[in-house]
Amino acid sequence: MDPSTLPTPPTPPSPHSFQVDLRGLVDLLSHHLYSSPKVYLRELLQNAVDALTARLAEEPGAPARVRLYAEEGALRVEDTGIGLTEADVHSLLATIGRSSKRADGLEAAREGQAGFLGQFGIGLLACFVVADRIRVVSRSAREPGAPPVEWTASDDGSYTVRTLDQAARPEPGTTVHLVARGDTREWLTEDRVRALARDFGALLPYDVRVGEEPIGELPAPWDRSYPSPAARRGALSAHCREVFGFTPLDSIVLDIPLAGVRGVAHVLPAAVSPAQRARHRVHLKGMLLTERAEQLLPDWAFFVRCVLDTDSLRPTASRESLYEDETLATVRDALGAHLRDWLARLAAGDPERLGAFLAVHHLGVKSLARHDPDMLRTMLPWLPFETTDGQLSLEEFAGRHPVVHFTRTVEEFRQVAPIAAAQGIGVVNGGYTYDAALIEALPSVRPGTVAAELDADTVTAHLDPVEPAEELALAGFLGTARARLDALGCEVALRSFHPLSVPALHLDDRAARHEQAREEAAEGADELWAGILGSLRGEAPRARLVLNHLNPLVRRVSSLGDPELVGTAVESLYGQALLMAQRPLRPADSALLNRSFLGLLEWATHHAPEQDGT
């Protein structure tokens, strides 16, 4: 074949580089990546500290200083770090996304010392949030003969680079100059710079000052030596007031050497909702990373606020939260173990402090004990529960009663508590958060204990029966009552019980409520679903209205001769018992209450004595 007749291969497309709109990128940083303009100072401190770390890796005896000078809406940040050459400036400062920590020389230092803070190569851009122009003057410590270099960048994406005389920067290091825009001058005032520097850099291990004023005091409060445990608690309490604004019930020092985590957990002095997300302060190698770390502790530990310094946890790109990974999960479990150990120590040696803690935060401990048998066993003598014998621990209550009966709702407990107490039945209110689950777990940590949900049969069996002759004499009354309430899925029983002031008791259990819900659903369903729901019919006991034969009102109602009036009166007793039990009213129950009220009103007006002259 003639080669000239072969088709010409297509020309490969020419590659193009992305174009970056720097102003648009800065807007993205300021409105979406960073939570506040204040992060510009954190990024400046971070770059300076990383430069010091790199230089010390190569020259262990080199000076390690950072100075910040703010005046007239301008800021100057000087460091004695590794510095930059002209090639470094073009390669690093002018390339968005490239971090100096990935450059060859610094990467080697990083591997040797693992002390760098920044990772993402976008930190210096944060300065454009408060300034239109950034000017950097730097001299390299790695190439002492190289001249100082000046890099000036504008927020329109342009920059210039020039070399300077040796006198412009006699010693290695870097100086960053910023001049505030008109609307951001407040962020570069001396007071604001000092406050931000203290907030972000108080735990940095270098000599960092605003002017000549140090921004921190090392070691950290939890790492200092104190003359006594009381002095230590006092100092940590003062630290909590300064950082979080409250005086803690206690302060727990946290130390996880394998994860490089040190810090303190402050116990809140007032109860908080378990649904409220706790926010903690996390420092990364001394630099404040975030004040709002939410995933640092297990969910049950909502009763503490932490301040930590770590060198192992990873920040997100904004450096304002933690990256969820296996390391964070391991640290979270280890911190939870520290808090469990603290509770166990209190239980073993300081019951007074434990009692003060549980008076406020028993809900958090119950949440932990629900999944931790060892903690449940430890806390049994201390955790408070509402019972028919008063406020007791499960340990004490189980010692008094061979069977620990409990209700699943507060309403059930409120209804049966006075009757059960009068009959000698011990009942625990399991209606509060976590309580029912803990009671059900009791036999697993206390062998020989029996825990059982209180049901209608148990309560009825403990009530005194009526003499057979008396019950036989009331057969007509009971037949009328049962006929009236049968359509509502409720049985009627007659018993004698205290207190006498209670005319009737409405009892049901979960099985009865489920059956009732099934019947209601079947009534409103189409033929197919009605058939399916009908096939699920169980043998569950029905709800029960127990009439108190000792109550004077019940005695008077049972002696009425009018069956219609008896039925209306029984419906009224049923409605009153439902209201006392605080049960949700079904439409049928609401209709019954209205009907019985109007019926009694009708009867009362027809039988009222007539007044003279009417």
Side-chain angles (χ1 to χ4, degrees):
M1 180 180 292
D2 186 353
S4 63
T5 63
L6 293 175
T8 303
T11 303
S14 301
H16 298 277
S17 297
F18 283 103
Q19 301 298 312
V20 177
D21 179 352
L22 192 56
R23 284 198 175 103
L25 183 57
V26 170
D27 180 73
L28 178 67
L29 293 176
S30 60
H31 290 96
H32 300 283
L33 186 63
Y34 295 133
S35 61
S36 165
K38 69 181 182 181
V39 297
Y40 87 92
L41 192 67
R42 184 193 65 196
E43 301 298 339
L44 287 174
L45 280 177
Q46 171 187 301
N47 287 343
V49 168
D50 282 342
L52 296 180
T53 301
R55 185 174 182 187
L56 289 173
E58 298 185 8
E59 303 176 48
R65 298 187 304 271
V66 180
R67 297 290 184 268
L68 298 92
Y69 302 96
E71 55 183 17
E72 300 297 328
L75 176 65
R76 185 173 82 256
V77 181
E78 299 178 352
D79 69 66
T80 58
I82 195 71
L84 301 170
T85 63
E86 183 175 357
D88 292 334
V89 166
H90 285 289
S91 174
L92 302 174
L93 298 187
T95 305
I96 295 171
R98 177 175 295 175
S99 171
S100 63
K101 274 65 73 178
R102 286 191 289 271
D104 292 340
L106 298 190
E107 182 67 30
R110 181 175 184 160
E111 290 175 357
Q113 191 160 340
F116 291 102
L117 299 173
Q119 301 178 42
F120 300 99
I122 58 175
L124 198 58
L125 289 181
C127 296
F128 283 124
V129 174
V130 296
D132 293 324
R133 196 172 64 129
I134 303 172
R135 177 169 168 258
V136 177
V137 176
S138 187
R139 181 170 181 178
S140 175
R142 291 200 305 270
E143 298 184 23
V149 60
E150 177 190 70
W151 178 81
T152 304
S154 299
D155 65 356
D156 61 2
S158 63
Y159 73 93
T160 61
V161 177
R162 62 174 181 148
T163 57
L164 305 175
D165 293 335
Q166 298 284 359
R169 180 83 203 194
E171 301 295 330
T174 299
T175 302
V176 179
H177 301 264
L178 301 180
V179 177
R181 293 197 309 270
D183 60 340
T184 61
R185 289 179 65 86
E186 62 169 308
W187 292 104
L188 272 69
T189 63
E190 184 174 9
D191 289 344
R192 179 61 68 91
V193 168
R194 182 182 297 109
L196 292 178
R198 285 176 175 169
D199 198 35
F200 285 124
L203 299 184
L204 287 173
Y206 298 120
D207 179 11
V208 183
R209 305 186 181 210
V210 176
E212 295 303 318
E213 184 178 344
I215 65 169
E217 183 180 352
L218 294 177
W222 50 84
D223 285 330
R224 297 173 193 166
S225 298
Y226 297 96
S228 67
R232 185 183 193 83
R233 283 198 296 271
L236 293 178
S237 180
H239 169 261
C240 180
R241 286 192 296 273
E242 178 183 350
V243 173
F244 292 118
F246 65 83
T247 300
L249 280 178
D250 206 347
S251 298
I252 309 154
V253 174
L254 306 171
D255 185 13
I256 309 174
L258 292 178
V261 173
R262 289 280 296 168
V264 61
H266 298 293
V267 181
L268 291 165
V272 294
S273 167
Q276 179 180 332
R277 299 293 295 179
R279 293 185 170 186
H280 311 285
R281 288 175 64 93
V282 177
H283 296 255
L284 180 61
K285 299 171 184 137
M287 180 73 74
L288 179 66
L289 177 68
T290 178
E291 302 172 277
R292 303 187 302 275
E294 295 183 349
Q295 69 273 49
L296 189 64
L297 294 180
D299 290 340
W300 55 261
F302 51 82
F303 52 83
V304 297
R305 298 293 180 267
C306 293
V307 182
L308 296 182
D309 188 25
T310 174
D311 59 17
S312 64
L313 299 180
R314 291 174 56 195
T316 58
S318 67
R319 295 184 46 79
E320 294 186 323
S321 59
L322 296 171
Y323 188 81
E324 185 69 49
D325 59 9
E326 186 176 344
T327 301
L328 179 57
T330 301
V331 168
R332 182 163 48 233
D333 291 343
L335 292 175
H338 268 64
L339 296 180
R340 284 197 299 272
D341 292 345
W342 171 75
L343 285 170
R345 289 196 302 272
L346 288 187
D350 200 338
E352 185 175 342
R353 283 170 66 198
L354 178 64
F357 168 77
L358 289 178
V360 179
H361 295 299
H362 58 274
L363 198 59
V365 179
K366 286 181 177 180
S367 173
L368 169 61
R370 182 177 49 149
H371 301 295
D372 189 330
D374 290 336
M375 183 53 61
L376 177 58
R377 190 177 294 107
T378 301
M379 290 291 114
L380 270 181
W382 309 102
L383 287 175
F385 287 79
E386 184 179 7
T387 78
T388 48
D389 294 353
Q391 198 82 355
L392 295 177
S393 70
L394 284 182
E395 178 72 27
E396 186 175 356
F397 187 84
R400 297 182 182 184
H401 300 276
V403 178
V404 179
H405 292 289
F406 68 96
T407 64
R408 289 192 181 273
T409 68
V410 175
E411 292 77 15
E412 279 184 276
F413 180 80
R414 295 282 188 266
Q415 183 192 18
V416 303
I419 289 92
Q423 308 306 316
I425 308 173
V427 183
V428 182
N429 185 354
Y432 296 115
T433 306
Y434 309 127
D435 283 9
L438 292 177
I439 299 166
E440 289 179 309
L442 185 59
S444 67
V445 298
R446 196 179 189 274
T449 301
V450 177
E453 183 176 354
L454 189 67
D455 57 27
D457 287 338
T458 301
V459 177
T460 306
H462 280 77
L463 303 179
D464 293 334
V466 178
E467 289 294 332
E470 291 187 56
E471 187 165 1
L472 183 61
L474 297 174
F477 162 70
L478 291 174
T480 300
R482 287 164 181 157
R484 277 298 181 99
L485 298 185
D486 182 68
L488 297 171
C490 183
E491 297 178 351
V492 177
L494 186 66
R495 294 289 189 275
S496 298
F497 56 88
H498 293 272
L500 301 181
S501 58
V502 178
L505 188 64
H506 182 271
L507 298 174
D508 63 2
D509 50 30
R510 279 193 303 169
R513 290 193 290 274
H514 289 168
E515 177 63 17
Q516 191 176 74
R518 187 203 61 76
E519 290 179 356
E520 291 175 3
E523 289 176 4
D526 57 30
E527 185 176 350
L528 173 62
W529 279 109
I532 294 174
L533 291 169
S535 68
L536 298 176
R537 183 187 302 274
E539 297 298 327
R542 306 170 83 196
R544 187 172 304 168
L545 182 70
V546 183
L547 299 173
N548 188 359
H549 187 52
L550 301 179
N551 179 265
L553 177 60
V554 173
R555 284 180 174 271
R556 287 195 294 271
V557 171
S558 65
S559 65
L560 294 173
D562 183 351
E564 186 63 29
L565 181 58
V566 168
T568 301
V570 168
E571 287 179 341
S572 297
L573 290 172
Y574 171 83
Q576 186 265 351
L578 273 182
L579 294 175
M580 290 296 294
Q582 300 184 36
R583 291 273 186 239
L585 296 181
R586 300 168 295 167
D589 297 328
S590 299
L592 175 142
L593 280 172
N594 290 331
R595 183 172 66 249
S596 62
F597 173 77
L598 292 175
L600 290 177
L601 190 61
E602 180 82 14
W603 182 89
T605 55
H606 276 78
H607 292 78
E610 294 185 355
Q611 302 294 324
D612 292 342
T614 61

